[in-house]
């Protein structure tokens, strides 16, 4: 029983150490949304509603197209990896195409978020396949997101 309590205490202390070094409330910056045949570049922002629940909005631009993506993610730190979190979630994307029909898609995602200790920068990378819900467009498995953001503390 004492060993179990000791292990639980170590895990809790490790989680507190990760939380203390990676805690930020919001981040704003630049994002890249890479599809097989298109690359969108633009603004990206995220907000932590709680320690683990995050909302993210991206607005990207490409020739004759604009993408708006709204994601919900569950974030969780890695034990003994200060500043590094994994995340997973889902959300919708709308691609507005000049002189064409818009594309509506569902975007599940899985990625990594790294807050640089002592510097207000956040780097993230995720896999974002696209499941098209509209009559136009095709599903995209090889879609990825990159972000570089300025972090705002609590």
């Amino acid at each position: 029983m004492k060993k179990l309590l000791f292990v639980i205490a170590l895990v809790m202390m490790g989680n507190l150490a990760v939380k203390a070094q990676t805690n930020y409330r919001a981040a704003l910056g630049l994002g890249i949304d890479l599809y097989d045949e298109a690359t969108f570049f633009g603004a990206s922002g995220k907000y932590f509603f709680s320690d683990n629940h995050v909302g993210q909005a991206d607005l990207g631009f490409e020739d004759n197209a604009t993408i708006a993506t709204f994601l919900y993610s569950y974030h969780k730190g890695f034990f003994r990896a200060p500043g590094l979190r994994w995340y997973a979630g889902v959300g919708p994307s709308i691609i507005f195409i000049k002189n064409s029909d818009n594309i509506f898609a569902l975007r599940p995602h899985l990625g990594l978020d790294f807050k640089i200790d002592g510097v207000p920068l956040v780097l993230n990378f995720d896999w974002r396949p696209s499941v098209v819900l509209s009559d136009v467009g095709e599903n995209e498995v090889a879609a990825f997101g990159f972000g570089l953001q300025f972090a705002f503390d609590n």
Side-chain angles (χ1 to χ4, degrees):
M1 184 67 171
K2 287 182 181 180
K3 288 182 182 180
L4 177 63
L5 290 174
F6 180 72
V7 170
I8 291 172
L10 281 178
V11 169
M12 290 176 63
M13 285 189 299
N15 284 338
L16 289 174
V18 168
K19 185 184 288 186
Q21 293 181 4
T22 62
N23 196 15
Y24 64 96
R25 176 57 69 196
L28 291 173
L30 299 174
I32 299 172
D33 203 348
L34 299 168
Y35 280 81
D36 190 31
E37 296 182 13
T39 300
F40 294 92
F41 182 79
S44 178
K46 63 171 49 177
Y47 181 78
F48 281 78
F49 297 105
S50 69
D51 287 343
N52 302 105
H53 302 281
V54 180
Q56 180 172 333
D58 297 333
L59 183 62
F61 303 94
E62 210 234 8
D63 291 340
N64 299 318
T66 301
I67 188 170
T69 301
F70 306 95
L71 302 172
Y72 161 79
S73 301
Y74 178 83
H75 282 231
K76 185 73 175 166
F78 286 101
F79 184 69
R80 295 188 184 246
L84 184 62
R85 297 181 190 193
W86 63 268
Y87 59 90
V90 68
S93 278
I94 304 170
I95 302 175
F96 302 97
I97 304 170
K98 185 177 181 179
N99 300 324
S100 183
D101 291 334
N102 299 330
I103 298 173
F104 298 92
L106 192 60
R107 305 289 300 274
H109 59 279
L110 176 66
L112 296 172
D113 179 269
F114 181 64
K115 164 70 172 66
I116 300 171
D117 192 26
V119 179
L121 290 179
V122 177
L123 302 168
N124 50 52
F125 170 75
D126 53 34
W127 173 54
R128 296 181 183 184
S130 181
V131 180
V132 173
L133 303 174
S134 56
D135 293 336
V136 296
E138 295 181 11
N139 294 337
E140 181 75 48
V141 175
F144 299 91
F146 297 95
L148 174 63
Q149 301 158 334
F150 181 84
F152 298 94
D153 291 333
N154 289 341

